Amino acid sequence: MKFRVFLAFIASFYVISSWASDDYSFIVRDIRVDGLQRTEAGTVFSYLPIKVGDVLTEEKTNEAIKSLYGTGFFTDVRLKAENGILVVEVNERPAIAEIAINGAKEFEKDKLLEGLKQAGISESRIFSRSLLERAEQELKRQYISRGKYAVKITTTTTPLERNRVGINFDIKEGRTARIKKISFVGNEKFTDKELRGILVLRKPDLLSWFNKNDQYSKQKLAADLETLRSHYLDRGYLEFNVESTQVSITPDMRDIYITINVTEGAQYKVSDIKVAGELLIPEAEIRELIQIKTGDVFARKKLTDSIKSLTDRYGDDGYAFANINANPELDYEKREAAFTFFIDPGKRVYVRRINITGNDRTRDEVIRREFRQMEGAWHSTQNINLSKQRVDRLFFFNSVNVETPAVANKTDQVDINMKVEERPTGSIMFGAGYSDRQGILLNASVSQNNIFGTGNFFNLEVQRAAINQTYSASFTNPYFTINGVSLGFDVYKRDIDTRPLKSFAEFKTETTGAGIRLGVPIAENDIVSFGLAAENTHITTTNKSPKRYTDFTHEFGNSTNNFPFTVSWARDRRDSAIWTTSGTTHRLFAEVSVPGGDLNYYKVSYHQKWFYPINDFFTLMLNGEAGYGDGYTGKPMPFFKNFFAGGNTSVRGYDLNTLGPRDDVSNLSAGGGVTTNSRFFAIGASRRVVGNVELMFPVPFMKDDRSLRLGLFLDGGTVFNHFSELNNLMRYSAGIAVTWVSPMGPLKVSLAQPLNDKPEDNIQRFQFMFGQQF
């Protein structure tokens, strides 16, 4: 192209020279454009720096040719004069009429076309050989990033009518190159196997098809080198260095060899810890926050964690911009390091303003009442973090981000900018499971956790399953008072009918009731709730009901009135309600029938969850539940108040509520006699124990997606009446679970394998629950 421009300049110079030699002053009386096929003449005029009436000069001629070539529309531009008319002769570049991609399997064609478009190649655009070459290189780069180093891309262009071209990309992807070996040179303290174990890149294994970690990536290698550096520095090797890395590929482009050359150096211990600067807080407290101690092997992580702890501590007292540095003094002969923590607290600052954005539906006051950092108060890192956690635990938002920028031209003020991303707070719940004995179980509910953006909760539930039907409505105002006392109301009708199921003892109850609830916060993360309800239960038994059921109806009648009083204590110290990685939850619940009704019983249960971050990828969750119930004043505990276990909320892999003691046919009354058929029925029990261990982690290729999570679990539990039964009745299962916080509500799917099931157990390996569980 440059050569053509040069020739055009020579030609224009010749034309102008001819005009000058003839002493001819050429005044443009008109302009005509020849050679256009698709481009409008107006487009040429808009780029042409010469207008009718102008005197054509050599300078303007050169400028005109440069301008028209610069558009990229033309392959050739010539200027000539005809009787006072400036004639612009152009040869248009062809337009791209169609693009075909053949042989692409690694990428979707739509994504490849989008990539070509960003490189300047798409239908209807002007064809350019240089852009085509650039696009071809971009395609190769994309394939190489997926480990396909042997990819071959052949590009052909086909001329079409009306000065158009068709472009065809023939792609031979070839085989993906895999890492064959990772070697280390210079390592003596740790073996190659130990060092390879901490890297993301690795040889092909059972999970390589899933995580692609056997495919080389420059970015992954850089991250692995930093991981390697941290591994050594956290174990005292202050002089560790990665000298070089070599990445080679075999001639057939199939195997990759990585060699990492390191210098380990000696291991250093901490010889002394000093504190200097403007301390402001007691030195003893500062030293407690410093995790590295004299005599310890140096660990960089402990050093950085110490600086963070000190920064947060000063931030709690308002010193938001405290500058803390740990300066080392190395003794190379003794292999010791002394550290001096220099503390510059800076100015004490206060919060000028709290700004909230992103809450299109939720009212500002709903968010602000969760804040523990106040406007006009001294900056507190602890209060700001607590405010963020409390807003996150509302479950109204997909994400909550907080920034504390300094106020312009002020050294003692900061603003708090909270940006939230709202999630749908209304949900429709669908639950389902399948077993050979019960078939499909379904339930549904409609709820709104944030009515009209007020933070109030409303739930309307309709549940129809094999054994129960529930119709209920609930309303809760979490801030009935300004101090956070909540008030709630419930109206419900619950019917349980076990007659269609072969695994349950036969009975039917119809319970109608209404209640009121009051929640009182007693600490930052603790709340005590009280509830009182009035309910009527109608009981129906059959000739196949257990004798203990018919005995109960003979003593108390087929209709009972009950006034259950409930007390509960709950503590929530999770870092997030959606994507929990650390913290605990506790719930202690007690229910007792108030004297004056027909029933005298009590139930107590305790539920705890503990989340522990193993690293940035894995989170360990431990769950424990225990329950105990009995009657008082000589009356038994109603059989329909029993505890149950089994299903996707307790021990997965077993049918819902089928674990524990069973009654067989020999205990059934049938017309005054006893039948001899052998059948077993789940009846629940007065005591319950459940435990779960789950290792949770994000989907490997979707690490930044906070809505999708995987888990490997081990469940155990049962219900029982006497501790002597516990060992025989305990059931265990293991499996994998997927949790997705979808726009419609949480979806949890599990696939479990019972570990010690017995012939009388009801197995349900696949289970899923869609929606918020209440």
Side-chain angles (χ1 to χ4, degrees):
M1 178 177 174
K2 293 181 179 180
F3 181 69
R4 290 182 178 179
V5 173
F6 175 74
L7 292 179
F9 288 162
I10 295 297
S12 63
F13 177 77
Y14 174 76
V15 171
I16 298 302
S17 298
S18 299
W19 292 338
S21 64
D22 294 338
D23 195 22
Y24 176 79
S25 179
F26 180 71
I27 299 176
V28 179
R29 292 189 289 113
D30 197 5
I31 301 175
R32 188 177 79 240
V33 182
D34 292 341
L36 295 178
Q37 298 184 51
R38 297 180 318 278
T39 308
E40 296 291 335
T43 302
V44 177
F45 294 147
S46 66
Y47 285 99
L48 192 66
I50 301 172
K51 307 300 179 185
V52 174
D54 290 350
V55 176
L56 190 63
T57 64
E58 180 181 359
E59 181 181 353
K60 285 189 176 183
T61 301
N62 292 337
E63 185 182 352
I65 293 175
K66 284 183 180 180
S67 179
L68 293 179
Y69 265 111
T71 63
F73 299 158
F74 311 111
T75 60
D76 191 17
V77 178
R78 296 183 299 276
L79 301 182
K80 67 180 182 178
E82 291 184 358
N83 300 322
I85 299 175
L86 176 62
V87 180
V88 182
E89 294 182 347
V90 297
N91 288 333
E92 285 186 319
R93 292 184 184 276
I96 301 173
E98 57 186 29
I99 300 174
I101 299 177
N102 302 314
K105 298 178 181 178
E106 184 72 17
F107 297 94
E108 295 180 5
K109 289 187 179 181
D110 289 344
K111 292 185 177 180
L112 291 179
L113 290 173
E114 181 62 28
L116 291 173
K117 184 176 182 180
Q118 293 178 1
I121 299 296
S122 66
E123 292 183 3
S124 301
R125 284 192 177 182
I126 300 299
F127 172 74
S128 169
R129 178 64 62 180
S130 61
L131 290 178
L132 181 61
E133 292 174 356
R134 186 188 308 170
E136 188 176 321
Q137 293 301 317
E138 176 62 21
L139 286 180
K140 288 184 179 179
R141 190 189 67 81
Q142 292 291 336
Y143 273 97
I144 289 174
S145 70
R146 294 285 183 94
K148 292 189 175 293
Y149 293 89
V151 64
K152 293 183 179 179
I153 300 176
T154 304
T155 306
T156 57
T157 57
T158 305
L160 302 175
E161 71 279 359
R162 292 186 288 118
N163 197 25
R164 299 180 304 159
V165 295
I167 303 176
N168 186 72
F169 293 91
D170 284 317
I171 301 175
K172 294 182 179 179
E173 295 182 334
R175 179 179 167 182
T176 302
R178 309 287 181 182
I179 295 175
K180 187 70 173 179
K181 187 177 181 181
I182 300 178
S183 303
F184 296 87
V185 177
N187 56 308
E188 298 177 356
K189 309 299 181 182
F190 301 96
T191 66
D192 282 18
K193 183 178 179 180
E194 290 175 315
L195 296 181
R196 281 194 292 264
I198 66 174
L199 304 182
V200 171
L201 292 175
R202 59 188 63 238
K203 292 168 58 178
D205 55 27
L206 293 177
L207 293 177
S208 295
W209 64 272
F210 185 69
N211 55 36
K212 309 297 183 183
N213 287 338
D214 61 341
Q215 297 179 14
Y216 169 74
S217 164
K218 187 177 181 180
Q219 291 76 16
K220 284 184 180 181
L221 179 59
D224 276 345
L225 295 180
E226 183 57 35
T227 300
L228 192 65
R229 185 174 288 105
S230 297
H231 178 79
Y232 273 91
L233 291 177
D234 287 342
R235 287 156 181 78
Y237 296 93
L238 283 170
E239 297 174 312
F240 172 81
N241 188 44
V242 177
E243 299 295 340
S244 63
T245 58
Q246 290 87 38
V247 180
S248 59
I249 189 168
T250 55
D252 59 4
M253 301 293 180
R254 292 187 175 186
D255 298 323
I256 293 177
Y257 292 82
I258 300 175
T259 303
I260 303 174
N261 298 278
V262 302
T263 299
E264 292 180 323
Q267 188 181 60
Y268 281 74
K269 290 187 175 182
V270 179
S271 61
D272 192 16
I273 299 294
K274 299 177 183 178
V275 179
E278 190 176 359
L279 303 188
L280 297 181
I281 60 177
E283 183 176 341
E285 184 178 352
I286 293 176
R287 289 188 175 275
E288 282 190 9
L289 295 172
I290 297 175
Q291 298 180 19
I292 55 174
K293 307 298 180 182
T294 301
D296 290 351
V297 173
F298 171 76
R300 185 176 68 171
K301 186 177 186 304
K302 288 185 177 181
L303 183 66
T304 55
D305 289 347
S306 300
I307 293 174
K308 183 180 184 304
S309 297
L310 289 171
T311 303
D312 290 345
R313 175 63 183 86
Y314 276 90
D316 288 340
D317 285 352
Y319 299 96
F321 305 118
N323 185 20
I324 300 173
N325 294 303
N327 293 340
E329 297 178 15
L330 302 182
D331 188 328
Y332 296 101
E333 293 182 358
K334 295 182 179 180
R335 307 302 184 188
E336 293 179 343
F339 291 90
T340 301
F341 286 81
F342 286 95
I343 300 173
D344 177 15
K347 281 192 174 183
R348 196 177 189 189
V349 300
Y350 64 90
V351 176
R352 182 189 68 165
R353 185 179 298 123
I354 296 175
N355 304 307
I356 302 172
T357 58
N359 54 319
D360 297 328
R361 294 187 302 274
T362 306
R363 299 178 185 178
D364 261 26
E365 64 185 56
V366 173
I367 300 175
R368 290 183 182 275
R369 66 193 183 191
E370 301 297 333
F371 265 77
R372 294 301 177 260
Q373 172 68 61
M374 299 292 104
E375 292 180 341
W378 295 118
H379 173 283
S380 170
T381 302
Q382 180 179 1
N383 287 341
I384 292 173
N385 291 336
L386 181 58
S387 301
K388 178 181 182 296
Q389 289 181 8
R390 289 180 64 90
V391 172
D392 197 10
R393 288 203 297 259
L394 288 175
F395 209 65
F396 298 165
F397 311 106
N398 283 325
S399 63
V400 179
N401 297 306
V402 174
E403 296 179 350
T404 55
V407 176
N409 302 320
K410 300 289 184 179
T411 59
D412 61 348
Q413 297 178 29
V414 296
D415 286 338
I416 297 178
N417 296 332
M418 173 172 284
K419 184 177 181 180
V420 299
E421 180 186 346
E422 290 190 309
R423 62 183 297 273
T425 54
S427 68
I428 300 176
M429 184 186 79
F430 297 97
Y434 179 82
S435 70
D436 294 336
R437 301 189 184 188
Q438 296 188 37
I440 297 177
L441 311 176
L442 300 173
N443 57 65
S445 72
V446 178
S447 68
Q448 174 54 261
N449 297 342
N450 188 14
I451 302 174
F452 307 121
T454 63
N456 296 337
F457 167 81
F458 175 76
N459 178 57
L460 180 65
E461 180 177 6
V462 177
Q463 183 184 79
R464 298 183 64 86
I467 64 172
N468 57 46
Q469 298 181 17
T470 301
Y471 308 90
S472 66
S474 300
F475 174 82
T476 303
N477 181 352
Y479 275 81
F480 178 66
T481 70
I482 194 173
N483 295 323
V485 175
S486 64
L487 180 66
F489 303 94
D490 304 290
V491 179
Y492 53 89
K493 185 179 187 302
R494 300 189 182 103
D495 299 341
I496 299 176
D497 187 357
T498 65
R499 291 177 297 179
L501 302 180
K502 297 179 180 180
S503 56
F504 279 80
E506 288 192 3
F507 73 93
K508 181 181 179 180
T509 60
E510 299 174 80
T511 302
T512 304
I516 185 172
R517 293 172 283 105
L518 198 68
V520 181
I522 59 174
E524 185 58 54
N525 297 291
D526 296 42
I527 185 170
V528 175
S529 300
F530 305 90
L532 180 63
E535 60 184 28
N536 172 266
T537 301
H538 183 78
I539 309 168
T540 302
T541 58
T542 71
N543 59 356
K544 295 182 179 180
S545 298
K547 188 174 183 299
R548 67 186 72 189
Y549 291 5
T550 57
D551 289 345
F552 184 88
T553 57
H554 289 156
E555 180 178 356
F556 296 98
N558 291 328
S559 181
T560 62
N561 294 317
N562 182 34
F563 302 99
F565 175 73
T566 59
V567 180
S568 67
W569 163 74
R571 170 179 291 173
D572 190 345
R573 291 184 174 177
R574 293 174 297 170
D575 60 343
S576 172
I578 299 177
W579 190 267
T580 309
T581 58
S582 64
T584 58
T585 63
H586 303 262
R587 187 172 188 265
L588 180 63
F589 178 84
E591 177 183 335
V592 59
S593 59
V594 176
D598 299 323
L599 306 176
N600 291 340
Y601 71 93
Y602 64 90
K603 295 174 65 176
V604 179
S605 62
Y606 177 71
H607 182 190
Q608 177 183 3
K609 279 187 177 182
W610 179 65
F611 297 87
Y612 178 75
I614 298 176
N615 52 35
D616 293 338
F617 192 78
F618 292 103
T619 298
L620 179 66
M621 188 278 291
L622 301 180
N623 175 67
E625 303 176 42
Y628 180 85
D630 203 353
Y632 67 91
T633 66
K635 294 185 178 181
M637 179 175 172
F639 65 87
F640 51 85
K641 292 290 184 178
N642 278 347
F643 291 103
F644 291 88
N648 52 16
T649 59
S650 55
V651 184
R652 288 161 282 194
Y654 298 89
D655 277 1
L656 183 69
N657 298 338
T658 59
L659 297 183
R662 293 168 178 266
D663 262 356
D664 60 36
V665 74
S666 62
N667 291 329
L668 301 180
S669 60
V674 177
T675 62
T676 58
N677 294 327
S678 179
R679 290 173 59 192
F680 296 89
F681 301 91
I683 58 174
S686 61
R687 302 178 184 182
R688 182 177 190 261
V689 60
V690 171
N692 311 94
V693 179
E694 189 162 350
L695 183 66
M696 301 183 296
F697 50 95
V699 177
F701 52 84
M702 299 174 62
K703 294 181 181 179
D704 297 328
D705 189 345
R706 279 171 47 103
S707 66
L708 193 61
R709 211 172 197 182
L710 301 177
L712 300 175
F713 64 82
L714 175 66
D715 294 344
T718 191
V719 295
F720 59 99
N721 291 310
H722 306 285
F723 280 103
S724 59
E725 305 172 326
L726 186 58
N727 186 53
N728 183 54
L729 294 176
M730 278 292 292
R731 295 293 183 268
Y732 302 95
S733 66
I736 185 170
V738 180
T739 303
W740 176 38
V741 183
S742 72
M744 293 289 291
L747 168 66
K748 190 160 189 177
V749 179
S750 64
L751 184 63
Q753 174 60 46
L755 300 179
N756 65 334
D757 55 298
K758 296 187 177 181
E760 66 269 20
D761 291 335
N762 302 88
I763 305 303
Q764 189 184 58
R765 291 182 174 83
F766 176 77
Q767 296 166 326
F768 74 88
M769 178 64 68
F770 182 34
Q772 179 68 37
Q773 181 69 32
F774 299 102

